[in-house]
Structure formats: C-alpha cells, structure tokens
C-alpha cells in the first residue's frame, strides 16, 4: 500500500534522507527507529506529502504522491511530530474541523468524532479548549485526528511520546489491533514498543537504512546474542564444556581448574537454548555447582547501539 | 468549495474566539469616526459630503490595522506546526489560502458595516447622493483587502507575527506614500527630468492613486481591476512562499 523508492531529501548542504526505499503492505506494522536527527520525521513528511522529495517517488495505494497529491492524501492518517493543534479550538470542534476536511459532513461527521474520541479516551476533555490540555491529552487529540476518517494507511510520528504508562500500553494495543487491517508506519525511541507492536522494523541512521527485518531477526544480530552465560564451580568444567558438540567456543572472563565464569557461544548449526540444555545436563551429571546458567537472547537496544553511532561520533 | 468554507469557518471563528478581532473593530470604528469629526472638519464643511473627511483617513488606518488582522494568517500556522496538518489534508493549497484570506476579508467587511452610523448622520444632516458614498465604500474596502493581501503574503514568509506586522506596515506605508501627490512632485523635482515617466509609473502602481480616483465618486473598472490584480498577485506570492517552505 505504501511504496517508497530511492527517497532523498537535501536541506542546503545537508543530506537528511539518502536513498531510502521500503514497502508496507496491508496488515503490516512497520517500526521506524533511529537516533535523533536520523531522518525519520523527514521521511514521514515526504511520505505524507508535506515535504517534496529532492529525488525519489512515493506511491500510496497505487497513487503517486507527487502527481496526484489530493487523491493520495485521502487514504492517509497522519500524526505529525509534537502533535500540532489549533490552540483556539475545543477538542471536539478541532476533530470536527478535521473530519470536514476529510469530506465527512452531517451525521457522518458526528459519528466520526464520537468514534475517534472513544478510541483515544478523550471523553473527559471533549469540550475543553485545546490550549489548556496536558501534553498527553494534546497528543491523544492529535492521534484522534489521524484516525477520524478510518484511513487505510497510518503514519504516526512518535505516537506514544508524552503518554503515561497506561496510555502507552493502550496506544500500542490500538496500533497492533488496527495493524491487522491497515498499513501502519510509526516511529519511536522506545525499543520495547517495536517488539510489542511491529511486524517489521527499519533502523535508519544518518539518512540511510542500516537494518531492515522482523524484531526477532534484528535482536539475534545483537553482539553476544544467543549465547549462554555461565558461572560454574567444578573441576575441569571449562575443558568439558568446550568439548560439547554444540559449543563453538568459550569466552571466559575468569577461569581456573575448578571454576568457569564467562559465556559459551553455540556453533552455527546449534542454538543458545540447546547449549544451555546440554551444559545443564552435563553439570547435573558431574555434580558441578551451577551459580548461573542463562540463555542470553540478545536485545534490540544492543543491536541498535552497535549499528547507530552517528549522534555519539559526530 | 466545501473545503474553502471549512477553512473559512475555522479561521473566522478563530478571530472572534480571541479578543483580537473585537479590539481592532472597536479601534477602527472609533478612529474612523473620531478623525472625521476632529481632523476632517466634517461639521464645518457646509455641504454634508462624506467623501473627503471620512474616507481620507481610511488608508492610514488600514496601514496599521490590516496587518494586525492578517499577521497571524500563516505565521501562526508555522509557529503551532499546524501547517503540517493542513498541508497533509486532502485539499489543495489554494483552498486553504482562499479560505483564510476570505475570513480576514469578512472581518473587514464587518468593520466597514459598523461605520454606518456616520452615513446615517450624513443623511440626517443633509441630502447627499448615495452613489458617491457607496463608491467610496467600495474603494475603502478594496484598500483594506489590498493591505490584507500584502500581509497575507508577508506572513507566509515568517513564523514571527511581530516581524510580519512590521514588514507589512512598511510595505503598505510605502504603497500609500508613493501615491501622495506632494511626495510624487517632490521626487520628480529631485530627480533628472528623464525619470519623470518612471516615477509617474511607480506612483500609478500605488494604492493611493487608485483610491483617490474611486473616492471621487467614480467606480472605475480600471481601478477595480487594479486592486483585484494586487490581491491576486499577493495570494500567488503566498502560494509560492508556502510551496517553497515545503521543498
Ligand atoms: N526544515 C528543515 N530545514 C533544514 N534542516 C532540516 C529541516 N528539517 C529537518 N532537518 C534536518 O534533517 C535531519 C533529520 O531530521 P529529522 O527531523 O528527520 O530527524 P528524526 O529522525 O525525526 O529525529 P528525532 O528522533 O529527533 O525526531 C536533521 O539533521 C535536521 O536538522
Ligand atoms: Mg522526528
């Protein structure tokens, strides 16, 4: 539904987005990750037709954004970064305004407003003026705006920014639920969110895509992922574990004849889980004292840190 | 057209949700009447003509008050970030521009309607022709709309309402001053005579020249056309400025 090809955006001498391509199909939730200033918002602004790309193309449900912007924008719901709102309106009149621009009038308009207010839990502030709302409510009002016409495509720039833990949970669940019938792209700095809601994730750094895969695939690429941490007291432990067929090698931080502290890495054919099982069985057989035996699955944020260093290095 | 109306509605009620519109309306109405009685020698004039004493002050009021009404048109959208919402809605940019401009234009229509007591006074005092008064009202409204269009264009270049206000006032002031006969004569005298044509042409492009023609009681099509093209050009500059901010 969303097809982005070789997108590029240059601000003066600065390349903000460089040759970014991806597609999102119906039923997919794509997480957009990257350090500050990586170009996430800029990419989203080009996808939604706010910025004109320097080069490349954006196609929304088969409609080209540059050739036919009004048609393409119809099927998109967009939550911009920082949730902009007209401060001189009430929540419901703001939503009504957005509904009208989306072509909803009369009864359809009131129904859409009610539905969006329910989805984003805005009942309490329905008639409150926007400029007196708290940050989280402002964010939810703007989120409600993006859902008001029940779009096929959702582009959400940091949808959980500023929300309390309960609301974060609700919004994640909402994204996940809606993702079954829509194509969703959302950006976030909270990596658990990606695991909780995304079917796929893209990591972008200095304007370029540096990783693209399911959250599980990316997790497994973290340094030291899928290894087994061990602290075992027992004579000859290290030598015997090293001989196991499923163990590639052992990285010991401290070891002598009677104990082993470190981690065991599986061979290519094996897995960390198997290594943990084998070591456990062997330890039981030899009656070693096991202080720790832990299968490290790998964390998304470790992988993220290992491939995005731009904000630190610069 | 529906979209233009939606934008118009929001912008128009926005004016009346804040004190800005009320303050400006009150100042305009009071100032327009005050100047007429105190500086226009309205009562001493003998004939109850409205054209000079009442309408001669309008351009000067518009120079300051039209930018005050129009300065938030786009600056505010930049500052709040709502331009991003507006420009990702399935509407054409010209619909937003037109809707917003019309809202400010209607505020000025209301301001002029509120000056009707003075018309009533004139009819009470004497028996003037209605024609010249109507024609002068049209001229006055054209002036307001032109100053507003200039402000609209300027506000599309800056996120600061203050900067927009100052620059708009300066532009409107220039376009008014260069249409004043004494100033034109002074400039012509100061420059070599070969430049006279150029100065006259520039003067011809200024608001005030056309305004005087119209307040004389002649609704000249040429002058109406002039004001319409000023407005059209300013709105096109607005569209171009908005476009260039996005690319
Ligand atoms: N209008 C603009 N003019 C000039 N440079 C810009 C503009 N918008 C963005 N940039 C630059 O483009 C780069 C990418 O910015 P972008 O907002 O896309 O980052 P981001 O990935 O969304 O970061 P964050 O996580 O902080 O939201 C930054 O270096 C930024 O300074
Ligand atoms: Mg961003």
């Amino acid at each position: 539904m969303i097809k982005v090809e070789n997108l590029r955006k240059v601000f003066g001498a600065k390349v903000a987005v460089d040759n970014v391509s991806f597609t999102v199909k119906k039923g997919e939730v794509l997480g957009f990750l990257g350090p500050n200033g990586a170009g996430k918002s800029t990419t989203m602004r080009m996808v939604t037709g706010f910025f004109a790309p320097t080069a490349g193309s954006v196609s929304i449900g088969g409609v080209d954004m540059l050739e036919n912007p009004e048609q393409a924008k119809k099927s998109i719901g967009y939550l911009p970064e920082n949730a902009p709102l007209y401060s001189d309106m009430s929540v419901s009149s703001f939503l009504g305004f957005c509904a009208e621009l989306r072509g909803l009038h009369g009864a359809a308009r009131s129904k859409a407003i009610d539905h969006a207010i329910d989805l984003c839990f805005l009942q309490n502030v329905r008639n409150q003026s926007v400029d007196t709302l708290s940050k989280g409510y402002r964010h939810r009002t703007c989120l409600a705006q993006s859902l008001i016409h029940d779009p096929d495509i959702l582009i959400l720039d940091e949808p959980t920014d500023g929300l309390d833990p309960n609301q974060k949970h609700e919004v994640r669940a909402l994204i996940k639920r809606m993702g079954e019938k829509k194509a969703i792209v959302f950006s976030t700095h909270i990596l658990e969110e990606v695991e909780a809601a995304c079917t796929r994730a893209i990591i972008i750094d200095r304007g370029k895509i540096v990783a693209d895969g399911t959250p599980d695939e990316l997790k497994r690429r973290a340094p030291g992922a899928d290894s087994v941490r061990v602290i075992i007291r027992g004579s000859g432990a290290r030598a015997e574990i090293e001989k196991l067929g499923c163990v590639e090698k052992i990285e010991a931080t401290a070891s002598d004849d009677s104990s082993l502290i470190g981690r065991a890495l599986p061979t290519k054919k094996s897995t960390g889980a198997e290594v943990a099982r084998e070591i456990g069985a062997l330890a039981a057989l030899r009656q070693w004292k096991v202080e720790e035996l832990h299968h490290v699955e790998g964390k998304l944020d470790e992988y993220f840190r290992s491939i995005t260093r731009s904000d630190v290095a610069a | 057209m529906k979209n233009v109306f939606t934008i118009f509605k929001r912008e128009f009620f926005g004016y009346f949700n804040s004190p800005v519109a009320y303050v400006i309306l009150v100042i305009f109405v009071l100032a327009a009447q005050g100047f007429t009685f105190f500086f226009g020698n309205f009562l001493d004039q003998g004939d109850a003509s409205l054209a000079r004493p009442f309408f001669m002050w309008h351009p000067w009021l518009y120079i300051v008050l039209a930018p005050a009404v129009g300065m938030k048109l786009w600056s505010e959208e930049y500052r709040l970030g709502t331009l991003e919402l507006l420009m990702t809605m399935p509407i054409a940019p010209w619909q937003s521009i037109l809707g917003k401009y019309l809202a400010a234009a209607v505020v000025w229509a209301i301001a002029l309607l509120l000056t009707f007591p003075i018309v009533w006074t004139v009819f009470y005092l004497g028996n003037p022709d209605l024609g010249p008064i109507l024609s002068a009202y049209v001229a006055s409204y054209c002036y307001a709309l032109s100053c507003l269009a200039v402000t609209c264009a300027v506000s599309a270049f800056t996120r600061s309402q203050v900067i927009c206000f100052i620059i708009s006032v300066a532009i409107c002031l220039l376009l008014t001053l260069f249409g004043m006969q004494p100033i034109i004569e002074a400039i012509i005298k100061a420059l070599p005579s070969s430049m006279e044509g150029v100065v006259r042409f520039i003067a011809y492009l200024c608001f005030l020249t056309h305004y005087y023609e119209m307040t004389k009681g002649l609704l000249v099509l040429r002058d109406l056309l002039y004001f319409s093209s000023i407005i059209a050009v300013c709105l096109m500059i607005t569209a171009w400025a908005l476009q260039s901010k996005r690319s």
Side-chain angles (χ1 to χ4, degrees), chain A residues 9 45 48-52 70 73-74 78 80 84-86 88-89 94 97-98 100-102 105 145, chain B residues 2-3 6-7 9-10 14 17 72 77 80-92 246-247:
Chain A
K9 182 75 190 175
R45 284 177 176 146
T48 52
F50 181 61
F51 278 168
E70 274 133 74
K73 285 170 188 172
K74 274 194 181 131
Y78 176 40
L85 300 169
Y86 289 104
D88 54 2
M89 303 180 95
F94 172 73
F97 168 69
C98 295
E100 279 177 37
L101 288 183
R102 295 293 187 178
H105 296 273
Q145 163 276 133
Chain B
K2 252 185 182 160
N3 292 332
T6 303
I7 303 276
K9 242 183 357 189
R10 199 208 72 74
N17 280 342
K72 72 168 197 158
E77 298 274 345
L80 294 174
T82 42
L83 190 71
E84 199 167 345
L85 276 183
L86 206 54
M87 294 293 147
T88 51
M89 289 288 177
I91 61 173
R246 290 166 56 205
S247 58

Side-chain angles (χ1 to χ4, degrees), chain A residues 40-42 81 157-158 187 189:
Chain A
K40 303 180 295 293
S41 302
T42 306
E81 196 171 28
D157 203 345
E158 302 190 25
S187 73
H189 290 297

Side-chain angles (χ1 to χ4, degrees), chain A residues 178-236:
Chain A
M178 289 189 304
E180 288 161 16
K181 288 171 291 172
K182 301 182 194 298
I184 301 182
V185 180
F186 79 93
S187 73
T188 180
H189 290 297
I190 304 170
L191 296 166
E192 301 92 77
E193 218 151 66
V194 176
E195 292 173 57
C198 292
T199 59
R200 225 177 87 213
I202 284 179
I203 300 180
I204 166 167
D205 186 28
R206 277 172 280 182
K208 288 196 177 69
I209 292 183
V210 290
D212 180 351
T214 67
D216 280 338
E217 279 168 16
L218 298 185
K219 246 165 36 180
R220 259 181 260 128
R221 290 188 215 160
D226 206 32
S227 63
V228 178
R229 270 195 57 78
V230 288
I231 301 177
I232 290 177
R233 314 281 175 200
S235 57

